[in-house]
Amino acid sequence: MSSQNEYGTIKKILMKHPKHAYLSQENAHKQWQKLHYPASVDMNRVMDEFESLLEIIKQYAAEVLMLPEAPNTGLDSIYTHDPLVTTNKGMILLNMGKPERRGEAQAMGKFFEQKGISIRGWVEDPGTHEGGDSVWIDENTLAVGSSFRTNREGISQLKKIAGSDFEVVSYGLPWWNGPDECLHIMSFISPIDKDLAVIYPKQMPIPMREDLDRRGYQYVVVPDSE
């Protein structure tokens, strides 16, 4: 079973409960503006929605790993996809481009070591890379967006870690609405099968669309109204 795709059967999943990310309503209220949230978090609503999501996830994932509370992490640490790239030979831990999230990879790395989960490598300063800028477009090719949160040095380090095991293909992303409303590669593409993806083409770099067309991809296009 490959870890290098976006659509396979979930065998194991990593999550973080909001009680361990948000800690309290007071703590959430202190952070939301700095993190560029559109409004403060309703802790009770978040807890209820998470429990509902967790019940759905448990129907499909054989094992759910829960990250514990950790120092130097904040509200955004609930998004466990962002500090890492999962490969068949272990986890690649990333150096978050958002300063408020810099402690997340270290906390995750400590957790992996305790659980005996292999760590393949780390992206380190001055490189930055966020998981939202990485998407597997086939099992041997990782598409990476060069963005406000993922810089060229981070991409270069990722390529070195990958070696000859898989190809890293990078694309420059548009400015869109600037650094405070950061556009990631996964903002406009979500593969849902081997050659099928949900896309918002207005944000997609032309070379990426051309590469996907050459690979025989079909698309579900998100309308502007969405």
Side-chain angles (χ1 to χ4, degrees), residues 192-223:
I192 54 176
D193 207 341
K194 184 177 181 180
D195 53 6
L196 178 66
V198 177
I199 65 169
Y200 185 62
K202 290 184 178 181
Q203 294 175 336
M204 183 177 287
I206 293 171
M208 184 178 184
R209 177 63 182 266
E210 292 174 340
D211 285 349
L212 294 175
D213 288 346
R214 282 193 290 269
R215 293 170 183 270
Y217 261 79
Q218 299 297 309
Y219 310 104
V220 178
V221 178
V222 177

PDB file of all heavy atoms in Angstrom, residues 192-223:
ATOM      1  N   ILE A 192      -8.656  13.107  -6.565  1.00  0.00           N
ATOM      2  CA  ILE A 192      -9.622  12.201  -5.940  1.00  0.00           C
ATOM      3  C   ILE A 192      -9.567  10.803  -6.540  1.00  0.00           C
ATOM      4  O   ILE A 192     -10.275   9.903  -6.077  1.00  0.00           O
ATOM      5  CB  ILE A 192     -11.058  12.759  -6.010  1.00  0.00           C
ATOM      6  CG1 ILE A 192     -11.458  13.112  -7.443  1.00  0.00           C
ATOM      7  CG2 ILE A 192     -11.188  13.977  -5.108  1.00  0.00           C
ATOM      8  CD1 ILE A 192     -12.899  13.572  -7.596  1.00  0.00           C
ATOM      9  N   ASP A 193      -8.714  10.610  -7.537  1.00  0.00           N
ATOM     10  CA  ASP A 193      -8.464   9.282  -8.091  1.00  0.00           C
ATOM     11  C   ASP A 193      -7.155   9.356  -8.874  1.00  0.00           C
ATOM     12  O   ASP A 193      -6.521  10.417  -8.937  1.00  0.00           O
ATOM     13  CB  ASP A 193      -9.615   8.832  -8.993  1.00  0.00           C
ATOM     14  CG  ASP A 193      -9.749   7.316  -9.061  1.00  0.00           C
ATOM     15  OD1 ASP A 193      -8.763   6.607  -8.722  1.00  0.00           O
ATOM     16  OD2 ASP A 193     -10.819   6.835  -9.453  1.00  0.00           O
ATOM     17  N   LYS A 194      -6.760   8.254  -9.461  1.00  0.00           N
ATOM     18  CA  LYS A 194      -5.461   8.170 -10.116  1.00  0.00           C
ATOM     19  C   LYS A 194      -5.262   9.255 -11.162  1.00  0.00           C
ATOM     20  O   LYS A 194      -4.168   9.807 -11.298  1.00  0.00           O
ATOM     21  CB  LYS A 194      -5.304   6.788 -10.760  1.00  0.00           C
ATOM     22  CG  LYS A 194      -3.947   6.550 -11.389  1.00  0.00           C
ATOM     23  CD  LYS A 194      -3.849   5.155 -11.935  1.00  0.00           C
ATOM     24  CE  LYS A 194      -2.467   4.916 -12.559  1.00  0.00           C
ATOM     25  NZ  LYS A 194      -2.362   3.539 -13.104  1.00  0.00           N
ATOM     26  N   ASP A 195      -6.293   9.579 -11.911  1.00  0.00           N
ATOM     27  CA  ASP A 195      -6.180  10.588 -12.956  1.00  0.00           C
ATOM     28  C   ASP A 195      -7.393  11.514 -12.967  1.00  0.00           C
ATOM     29  O   ASP A 195      -7.846  11.961 -14.013  1.00  0.00           O
ATOM     30  CB  ASP A 195      -5.993   9.932 -14.326  1.00  0.00           C
ATOM     31  CG  ASP A 195      -7.071   8.896 -14.626  1.00  0.00           C
ATOM     32  OD1 ASP A 195      -8.011   8.781 -13.823  1.00  0.00           O
ATOM     33  OD2 ASP A 195      -6.971   8.215 -15.655  1.00  0.00           O
ATOM     34  N   LEU A 196      -7.909  11.809 -11.780  1.00  0.00           N
ATOM     35  CA  LEU A 196      -9.066  12.683 -11.634  1.00  0.00           C
ATOM     36  C   LEU A 196      -8.841  13.647 -10.484  1.00  0.00           C
ATOM     37  O   LEU A 196      -8.424  13.237  -9.397  1.00  0.00           O
ATOM     38  CB  LEU A 196     -10.330  11.847 -11.379  1.00  0.00           C
ATOM     39  CG  LEU A 196     -11.640  12.605 -11.160  1.00  0.00           C
ATOM     40  CD1 LEU A 196     -12.057  13.342 -12.430  1.00  0.00           C
ATOM     41  CD2 LEU A 196     -12.751  11.635 -10.733  1.00  0.00           C
ATOM     42  N   ALA A 197      -9.098  14.933 -10.716  1.00  0.00           N
ATOM     43  CA  ALA A 197      -8.865  15.939  -9.674  1.00  0.00           C
ATOM     44  C   ALA A 197      -9.958  16.998  -9.698  1.00  0.00           C
ATOM     45  O   ALA A 197     -10.487  17.360 -10.755  1.00  0.00           O
ATOM     46  CB  ALA A 197      -7.510  16.607  -9.865  1.00  0.00           C
ATOM     47  N   VAL A 198     -10.298  17.473  -8.503  1.00  0.00           N
ATOM     48  CA  VAL A 198     -11.139  18.663  -8.358  1.00  0.00           C
ATOM     49  C   VAL A 198     -10.220  19.862  -8.456  1.00  0.00           C
ATOM     50  O   VAL A 198      -9.210  19.940  -7.745  1.00  0.00           O
ATOM     51  CB  VAL A 198     -11.875  18.661  -7.009  1.00  0.00           C
ATOM     52  CG1 VAL A 198     -12.685  19.948  -6.838  1.00  0.00           C
ATOM     53  CG2 VAL A 198     -12.778  17.442  -6.889  1.00  0.00           C
ATOM     54  N   ILE A 199     -10.532  20.808  -9.334  1.00  0.00           N
ATOM     55  CA  ILE A 199      -9.635  21.956  -9.540  1.00  0.00           C
ATOM     56  C   ILE A 199     -10.424  23.267  -9.614  1.00  0.00           C
ATOM     57  O   ILE A 199     -11.612  23.284  -9.934  1.00  0.00           O
ATOM     58  CB  ILE A 199      -8.789  21.814 -10.828  1.00  0.00           C
ATOM     59  CG1 ILE A 199      -9.683  21.834 -12.082  1.00  0.00           C
ATOM     60  CG2 ILE A 199      -7.932  20.561 -10.776  1.00  0.00           C
ATOM     61  CD1 ILE A 199      -8.896  21.973 -13.385  1.00  0.00           C
ATOM     62  N   TYR A 200      -9.714  24.344  -9.290  1.00  0.00           N
ATOM     63  CA  TYR A 200     -10.180  25.700  -9.580  1.00  0.00           C
ATOM     64  C   TYR A 200      -9.148  26.286 -10.534  1.00  0.00           C
ATOM     65  O   TYR A 200      -8.114  26.814 -10.102  1.00  0.00           O
ATOM     66  CB  TYR A 200     -10.299  26.528  -8.303  1.00  0.00           C
ATOM     67  CG  TYR A 200     -10.892  27.901  -8.536  1.00  0.00           C
ATOM     68  CD1 TYR A 200     -12.189  28.035  -9.027  1.00  0.00           C
ATOM     69  CD2 TYR A 200     -10.172  29.050  -8.278  1.00  0.00           C
ATOM     70  CE1 TYR A 200     -12.741  29.285  -9.255  1.00  0.00           C
ATOM     71  CE2 TYR A 200     -10.714  30.310  -8.493  1.00  0.00           C
ATOM     72  CZ  TYR A 200     -12.009  30.416  -8.991  1.00  0.00           C
ATOM     73  OH  TYR A 200     -12.553  31.666  -9.218  1.00  0.00           O
ATOM     74  N   PRO A 201      -9.364  26.176 -11.843  1.00  0.00           N
ATOM     75  CA  PRO A 201      -8.306  26.451 -12.823  1.00  0.00           C
ATOM     76  C   PRO A 201      -7.814  27.893 -12.862  1.00  0.00           C
ATOM     77  O   PRO A 201      -6.689  28.141 -13.298  1.00  0.00           O
ATOM     78  CB  PRO A 201      -8.946  26.052 -14.161  1.00  0.00           C
ATOM     79  CG  PRO A 201     -10.422  26.073 -13.912  1.00  0.00           C
ATOM     80  CD  PRO A 201     -10.609  25.704 -12.471  1.00  0.00           C
ATOM     81  N   LYS A 202      -8.605  28.849 -12.388  1.00  0.00           N
ATOM     82  CA  LYS A 202      -8.179  30.242 -12.448  1.00  0.00           C
ATOM     83  C   LYS A 202      -6.950  30.506 -11.585  1.00  0.00           C
ATOM     84  O   LYS A 202      -6.235  31.487 -11.811  1.00  0.00           O
ATOM     85  CB  LYS A 202      -9.323  31.171 -12.033  1.00  0.00           C
ATOM     86  CG  LYS A 202     -10.462  31.239 -13.043  1.00  0.00           C
ATOM     87  CD  LYS A 202     -11.521  32.245 -12.609  1.00  0.00           C
ATOM     88  CE  LYS A 202     -12.633  32.341 -13.644  1.00  0.00           C
ATOM     89  NZ  LYS A 202     -13.669  33.336 -13.268  1.00  0.00           N
ATOM     90  N   GLN A 203      -6.700  29.669 -10.587  1.00  0.00           N
ATOM     91  CA  GLN A 203      -5.538  29.846  -9.722  1.00  0.00           C
ATOM     92  C   GLN A 203      -4.363  28.963 -10.134  1.00  0.00           C
ATOM     93  O   GLN A 203      -3.259  29.129  -9.616  1.00  0.00           O
ATOM     94  CB  GLN A 203      -5.918  29.532  -8.270  1.00  0.00           C
ATOM     95  CG  GLN A 203      -6.916  30.494  -7.660  1.00  0.00           C
ATOM     96  CD  GLN A 203      -7.341  30.077  -6.264  1.00  0.00           C
ATOM     97  OE1 GLN A 203      -7.269  28.907  -5.888  1.00  0.00           O
ATOM     98  NE2 GLN A 203      -7.795  31.040  -5.474  1.00  0.00           N
ATOM     99  N   MET A 204      -4.568  28.053 -11.037  1.00  0.00           N
ATOM    100  CA  MET A 204      -3.568  27.043 -11.368  1.00  0.00           C
ATOM    101  C   MET A 204      -2.512  27.583 -12.334  1.00  0.00           C
ATOM    102  O   MET A 204      -2.846  28.203 -13.350  1.00  0.00           O
ATOM    103  CB  MET A 204      -4.248  25.816 -11.981  1.00  0.00           C
ATOM    104  CG  MET A 204      -3.307  24.666 -12.289  1.00  0.00           C
ATOM    105  SD  MET A 204      -4.198  23.216 -12.929  1.00  0.00           S
ATOM    106  CE  MET A 204      -4.989  22.650 -11.429  1.00  0.00           C
ATOM    107  N   PRO A 205      -1.222  27.362 -12.047  1.00  0.00           N
ATOM    108  CA  PRO A 205      -0.172  27.759 -12.994  1.00  0.00           C
ATOM    109  C   PRO A 205      -0.353  27.034 -14.323  1.00  0.00           C
ATOM    110  O   PRO A 205      -0.672  25.827 -14.347  1.00  0.00           O
ATOM    111  CB  PRO A 205       1.117  27.321 -12.297  1.00  0.00           C
ATOM    112  CG  PRO A 205       0.770  27.211 -10.850  1.00  0.00           C
ATOM    113  CD  PRO A 205      -0.662  26.783 -10.816  1.00  0.00           C
ATOM    114  N   ILE A 206      -0.135  27.749 -15.414  1.00  0.00           N
ATOM    115  CA  ILE A 206      -0.315  27.152 -16.743  1.00  0.00           C
ATOM    116  C   ILE A 206       0.557  25.913 -16.927  1.00  0.00           C
ATOM    117  O   ILE A 206       0.067  24.881 -17.408  1.00  0.00           O
ATOM    118  CB  ILE A 206      -0.042  28.204 -17.840  1.00  0.00           C
ATOM    119  CG1 ILE A 206      -1.128  29.283 -17.799  1.00  0.00           C
ATOM    120  CG2 ILE A 206      -0.008  27.549 -19.229  1.00  0.00           C
ATOM    121  CD1 ILE A 206      -0.846  30.473 -18.690  1.00  0.00           C
ATOM    122  N   PRO A 207       1.853  25.942 -16.553  1.00  0.00           N
ATOM    123  CA  PRO A 207       2.669  24.728 -16.735  1.00  0.00           C
ATOM    124  C   PRO A 207       2.141  23.514 -15.978  1.00  0.00           C
ATOM    125  O   PRO A 207       2.244  22.379 -16.462  1.00  0.00           O
ATOM    126  CB  PRO A 207       4.047  25.142 -16.207  1.00  0.00           C
ATOM    127  CG  PRO A 207       4.075  26.624 -16.340  1.00  0.00           C
ATOM    128  CD  PRO A 207       2.678  27.063 -16.060  1.00  0.00           C
ATOM    129  N   MET A 208       1.553  23.727 -14.807  1.00  0.00           N
ATOM    130  CA  MET A 208       0.994  22.612 -14.057  1.00  0.00           C
ATOM    131  C   MET A 208      -0.205  22.027 -14.782  1.00  0.00           C
ATOM    132  O   MET A 208      -0.343  20.796 -14.898  1.00  0.00           O
ATOM    133  CB  MET A 208       0.607  23.059 -12.650  1.00  0.00           C
ATOM    134  CG  MET A 208       0.113  21.915 -11.790  1.00  0.00           C
ATOM    135  SD  MET A 208      -0.283  22.431 -10.095  1.00  0.00           S
ATOM    136  CE  MET A 208      -0.698  20.833  -9.381  1.00  0.00           C
ATOM    137  N   ARG A 209      -1.087  22.884 -15.262  1.00  0.00           N
ATOM    138  CA  ARG A 209      -2.261  22.393 -16.012  1.00  0.00           C
ATOM    139  C   ARG A 209      -1.805  21.627 -17.247  1.00  0.00           C
ATOM    140  O   ARG A 209      -2.350  20.558 -17.561  1.00  0.00           O
ATOM    141  CB  ARG A 209      -3.160  23.567 -16.393  1.00  0.00           C
ATOM    142  CG  ARG A 209      -4.375  23.187 -17.248  1.00  0.00           C
ATOM    143  CD  ARG A 209      -5.329  22.259 -16.515  1.00  0.00           C
ATOM    144  NE  ARG A 209      -6.450  21.866 -17.363  1.00  0.00           N
ATOM    145  CZ  ARG A 209      -7.622  22.483 -17.387  1.00  0.00           C
ATOM    146  NH1 ARG A 209      -7.840  23.539 -16.612  1.00  0.00           N
ATOM    147  NH2 ARG A 209      -8.588  22.052 -18.164  1.00  0.00           N
ATOM    148  N   GLU A 210      -0.802  22.118 -17.930  1.00  0.00           N
ATOM    149  CA  GLU A 210      -0.301  21.436 -19.117  1.00  0.00           C
ATOM    150  C   GLU A 210       0.288  20.067 -18.761  1.00  0.00           C
ATOM    151  O   GLU A 210       0.083  19.083 -19.483  1.00  0.00           O
ATOM    152  CB  GLU A 210       0.739  22.304 -19.828  1.00  0.00           C
ATOM    153  CG  GLU A 210       0.142  23.561 -20.443  1.00  0.00           C
ATOM    154  CD  GLU A 210       1.198  24.499 -21.019  1.00  0.00           C
ATOM    155  OE1 GLU A 210       2.381  24.377 -20.629  1.00  0.00           O
ATOM    156  OE2 GLU A 210       0.838  25.352 -21.842  1.00  0.00           O
ATOM    157  N   ASP A 211       1.015  19.998 -17.641  1.00  0.00           N
ATOM    158  CA  ASP A 211       1.588  18.719 -17.205  1.00  0.00           C
ATOM    159  C   ASP A 211       0.494  17.712 -16.873  1.00  0.00           C
ATOM    160  O   ASP A 211       0.586  16.531 -17.221  1.00  0.00           O
ATOM    161  CB  ASP A 211       2.490  18.924 -15.984  1.00  0.00           C
ATOM    162  CG  ASP A 211       3.818  19.562 -16.334  1.00  0.00           C
ATOM    163  OD1 ASP A 211       4.138  19.670 -17.535  1.00  0.00           O
ATOM    164  OD2 ASP A 211       4.545  19.961 -15.394  1.00  0.00           O
ATOM    165  N   LEU A 212      -0.544  18.170 -16.179  1.00  0.00           N
ATOM    166  CA  LEU A 212      -1.650  17.278 -15.836  1.00  0.00           C
ATOM    167  C   LEU A 212      -2.389  16.806 -17.083  1.00  0.00           C
ATOM    168  O   LEU A 212      -2.791  15.638 -17.176  1.00  0.00           O
ATOM    169  CB  LEU A 212      -2.609  17.971 -14.873  1.00  0.00           C
ATOM    170  CG  LEU A 212      -2.056  18.301 -13.485  1.00  0.00           C
ATOM    171  CD1 LEU A 212      -3.088  19.090 -12.690  1.00  0.00           C
ATOM    172  CD2 LEU A 212      -1.666  17.046 -12.725  1.00  0.00           C
ATOM    173  N   ASP A 213      -2.563  17.707 -18.052  1.00  0.00           N
ATOM    174  CA  ASP A 213      -3.208  17.324 -19.313  1.00  0.00           C
ATOM    175  C   ASP A 213      -2.402  16.230 -20.012  1.00  0.00           C
ATOM    176  O   ASP A 213      -2.970  15.257 -20.527  1.00  0.00           O
ATOM    177  CB  ASP A 213      -3.327  18.537 -20.239  1.00  0.00           C
ATOM    178  CG  ASP A 213      -4.371  19.540 -19.772  1.00  0.00           C
ATOM    179  OD1 ASP A 213      -5.200  19.192 -18.893  1.00  0.00           O
ATOM    180  OD2 ASP A 213      -4.362  20.678 -20.281  1.00  0.00           O
ATOM    181  N   ARG A 214      -1.085  16.369 -20.023  1.00  0.00           N
ATOM    182  CA  ARG A 214      -0.225  15.363 -20.661  1.00  0.00           C
ATOM    183  C   ARG A 214      -0.318  14.014 -19.953  1.00  0.00           C
ATOM    184  O   ARG A 214      -0.132  12.962 -20.574  1.00  0.00           O
ATOM    185  CB  ARG A 214       1.227  15.836 -20.690  1.00  0.00           C
ATOM    186  CG  ARG A 214       1.527  16.859 -21.769  1.00  0.00           C
ATOM    187  CD  ARG A 214       3.023  17.057 -21.946  1.00  0.00           C
ATOM    188  NE  ARG A 214       3.606  17.746 -20.812  1.00  0.00           N
ATOM    189  CZ  ARG A 214       3.729  19.065 -20.740  1.00  0.00           C
ATOM    190  NH1 ARG A 214       3.296  19.827 -21.727  1.00  0.00           N
ATOM    191  NH2 ARG A 214       4.281  19.620 -19.671  1.00  0.00           N
ATOM    192  N   ARG A 215      -0.596  14.043 -18.661  1.00  0.00           N
ATOM    193  CA  ARG A 215      -0.729  12.807 -17.894  1.00  0.00           C
ATOM    194  C   ARG A 215      -2.112  12.175 -18.046  1.00  0.00           C
ATOM    195  O   ARG A 215      -2.383  11.111 -17.485  1.00  0.00           O
ATOM    196  CB  ARG A 215      -0.453  13.077 -16.409  1.00  0.00           C
ATOM    197  CG  ARG A 215       0.991  13.465 -16.104  1.00  0.00           C
ATOM    198  CD  ARG A 215       1.123  13.965 -14.663  1.00  0.00           C
ATOM    199  NE  ARG A 215       2.478  14.402 -14.380  1.00  0.00           N
ATOM    200  CZ  ARG A 215       3.436  13.611 -13.906  1.00  0.00           C
ATOM    201  NH1 ARG A 215       3.172  12.330 -13.643  1.00  0.00           N
ATOM    202  NH2 ARG A 215       4.645  14.081 -13.667  1.00  0.00           N
ATOM    203  N   GLY A 216      -2.978  12.833 -18.781  1.00  0.00           N
ATOM    204  CA  GLY A 216      -4.309  12.289 -19.029  1.00  0.00           C
ATOM    205  C   GLY A 216      -5.318  12.558 -17.936  1.00  0.00           C
ATOM    206  O   GLY A 216      -6.339  11.864 -17.831  1.00  0.00           O
ATOM    207  N   TYR A 217      -5.079  13.580 -17.125  1.00  0.00           N
ATOM    208  CA  TYR A 217      -6.009  13.905 -16.051  1.00  0.00           C
ATOM    209  C   TYR A 217      -7.361  14.370 -16.594  1.00  0.00           C
ATOM    210  O   TYR A 217      -7.448  15.050 -17.621  1.00  0.00           O
ATOM    211  CB  TYR A 217      -5.430  15.006 -15.162  1.00  0.00           C
ATOM    212  CG  TYR A 217      -4.788  14.506 -13.885  1.00  0.00           C
ATOM    213  CD1 TYR A 217      -3.516  13.956 -13.891  1.00  0.00           C
ATOM    214  CD2 TYR A 217      -5.468  14.585 -12.683  1.00  0.00           C
ATOM    215  CE1 TYR A 217      -2.915  13.502 -12.715  1.00  0.00           C
ATOM    216  CE2 TYR A 217      -4.883  14.124 -11.487  1.00  0.00           C
ATOM    217  CZ  TYR A 217      -3.606  13.586 -11.512  1.00  0.00           C
ATOM    218  OH  TYR A 217      -3.048  13.138 -10.357  1.00  0.00           O
ATOM    219  N   GLN A 218      -8.408  14.008 -15.869  1.00  0.00           N
ATOM    220  CA  GLN A 218      -9.737  14.554 -16.068  1.00  0.00           C
ATOM    221  C   GLN A 218     -10.054  15.429 -14.858  1.00  0.00           C
ATOM    222  O   GLN A 218      -9.443  15.262 -13.785  1.00  0.00           O
ATOM    223  CB  GLN A 218     -10.768  13.432 -16.208  1.00  0.00           C
ATOM    224  CG  GLN A 218     -10.519  12.504 -17.380  1.00  0.00           C
ATOM    225  CD  GLN A 218     -10.605  13.204 -18.707  1.00  0.00           C
ATOM    226  OE1 GLN A 218     -11.595  13.902 -18.980  1.00  0.00           O
ATOM    227  NE2 GLN A 218      -9.601  13.037 -19.561  1.00  0.00           N
ATOM    228  N   TYR A 219     -11.015  16.357 -15.014  1.00  0.00           N
ATOM    229  CA  TYR A 219     -11.224  17.366 -13.972  1.00  0.00           C
ATOM    230  C   TYR A 219     -12.691  17.537 -13.594  1.00  0.00           C
ATOM    231  O   TYR A 219     -13.586  17.424 -14.436  1.00  0.00           O
ATOM    232  CB  TYR A 219     -10.688  18.726 -14.440  1.00  0.00           C
ATOM    233  CG  TYR A 219      -9.286  18.678 -14.971  1.00  0.00           C
ATOM    234  CD1 TYR A 219      -9.021  18.725 -16.343  1.00  0.00           C
ATOM    235  CD2 TYR A 219      -8.203  18.539 -14.099  1.00  0.00           C
ATOM    236  CE1 TYR A 219      -7.729  18.677 -16.829  1.00  0.00           C
ATOM    237  CE2 TYR A 219      -6.911  18.478 -14.587  1.00  0.00           C
ATOM    238  CZ  TYR A 219      -6.678  18.545 -15.952  1.00  0.00           C
ATOM    239  OH  TYR A 219      -5.387  18.471 -16.426  1.00  0.00           O
ATOM    240  N   VAL A 220     -12.894  17.815 -12.316  1.00  0.00           N
ATOM    241  CA  VAL A 220     -14.150  18.359 -11.818  1.00  0.00           C
ATOM    242  C   VAL A 220     -13.855  19.806 -11.480  1.00  0.00           C
ATOM    243  O   VAL A 220     -13.082  20.101 -10.564  1.00  0.00           O
ATOM    244  CB  VAL A 220     -14.638  17.601 -10.563  1.00  0.00           C
ATOM    245  CG1 VAL A 220     -15.924  18.243 -10.042  1.00  0.00           C
ATOM    246  CG2 VAL A 220     -14.839  16.120 -10.868  1.00  0.00           C
ATOM    247  N   VAL A 221     -14.427  20.718 -12.241  1.00  0.00           N
ATOM    248  CA  VAL A 221     -14.105  22.145 -12.118  1.00  0.00           C
ATOM    249  C   VAL A 221     -15.030  22.827 -11.124  1.00  0.00           C
ATOM    250  O   VAL A 221     -16.268  22.735 -11.242  1.00  0.00           O
ATOM    251  CB  VAL A 221     -14.174  22.843 -13.498  1.00  0.00           C
ATOM    252  CG1 VAL A 221     -13.886  24.341 -13.347  1.00  0.00           C
ATOM    253  CG2 VAL A 221     -13.161  22.208 -14.458  1.00  0.00           C
ATOM    254  N   VAL A 222     -14.449  23.493 -10.151  1.00  0.00           N
ATOM    255  CA  VAL A 222     -15.223  24.221  -9.145  1.00  0.00           C
ATOM    256  C   VAL A 222     -15.667  25.561  -9.736  1.00  0.00           C
ATOM    257  O   VAL A 222     -14.840  26.333 -10.238  1.00  0.00           O
ATOM    258  CB  VAL A 222     -14.376  24.471  -7.888  1.00  0.00           C
ATOM    259  CG1 VAL A 222     -15.161  25.293  -6.870  1.00  0.00           C
ATOM    260  CG2 VAL A 222     -13.928  23.150  -7.264  1.00  0.00           C
ATOM    261  N   PRO A 223     -16.960  25.865  -9.712  1.00  0.00           N
ATOM    262  CA  PRO A 223     -17.427  27.137 -10.274  1.00  0.00           C
ATOM    263  C   PRO A 223     -17.096  28.305  -9.366  1.00  0.00           C
ATOM    264  O   PRO A 223     -16.831  28.131  -8.160  1.00  0.00           O
ATOM    265  CB  PRO A 223     -18.941  26.937 -10.374  1.00  0.00           C
ATOM    266  CG  PRO A 223     -19.248  25.941  -9.299  1.00  0.00           C
ATOM    267  CD  PRO A 223     -18.059  25.023  -9.226  1.00  0.00           C
TER     268      PRO A 223
END
